Amino acid sequence: EVQLVESGGGALQPGGSLRLSCAASGFTFSSSSMYWVRQSPGRGLEWVSCIAARGGTVYPDSVRGRFTISRDNAKNTVDLLMDSLKTEDTAMYYCARGLRSFCGGGYSNYRGQGTQVTVSS
């Protein structure tokens, strides 16, 4: 059974930093790409980073240069370091298993409980 458990969210001011973590189990983590996606009212679901099984990373323009995704295949974890946070980064953040070993192949609809990030002054 696939399980994804996100943690690390919180409330902070614009310009701050936060590190999210996701613990994965129930599938061959080292062979899967992993995504971080977010959802906020009125904006729908948006992917914010992807790391391929071999470690290559991809980001959308909205977060490139501010967010950094990393993975630890020994621990089956994927982290998201978020710097220079903006109010528009406020959302529920989820990790998701990629459908392929590389980024760009989409991600599974299954998500964990998520972790809330709120950026406000």
Side-chain angles (χ1 to χ4, degrees):
E1 178 187 2
V2 173
Q3 285 195 325
L4 299 167
V5 180
E6 300 93 344
S7 61
L12 68 169
Q13 294 183 337
S17 298
L18 206 58
R19 179 182 288 272
L20 308 183
S21 187
C22 169
S25 61
F27 62 99
T28 307
F29 180 82
S30 60
S31 298
S32 299
S33 60
M34 293 296 296
Y35 288 74
W36 279 97
V37 301
R38 66 187 181 188
Q39 188 163 28
S40 58
R43 295 187 63 179
L45 195 64
E46 175 190 16
W47 74 278
V48 294
S49 61
C50 176
I51 186 165
R54 293 189 177 184
T57 58
V58 184
Y59 305 90
D61 290 345
S62 57
V63 307
R64 188 177 295 114
R66 301 188 298 119
F67 288 13
T68 304
I69 188 172
S70 60
R71 66 189 296 158
D72 186 333
N73 288 341
K75 296 181 180 180
N76 283 12
T77 57
V78 56
D79 287 0
L80 183 67
L81 176 62
M82 304 185 294
D83 293 319
S84 303
L85 281 161
K86 305 176 180 180
T87 55
E88 53 261 44
D89 294 319
T90 294
M92 185 70 79
Y93 284 73
Y94 305 89
C95 64
R97 176 188 181 187
L99 298 178
R100 310 294 291 269
S101 64
F102 53 88
C103 293
Y107 50 87
S108 169
N109 288 328
Y110 173 81
R111 295 190 291 276
Q113 85 288 349
T115 187
Q116 177 68 37
V117 173
T118 302
V119 185
S120 69
S121 54

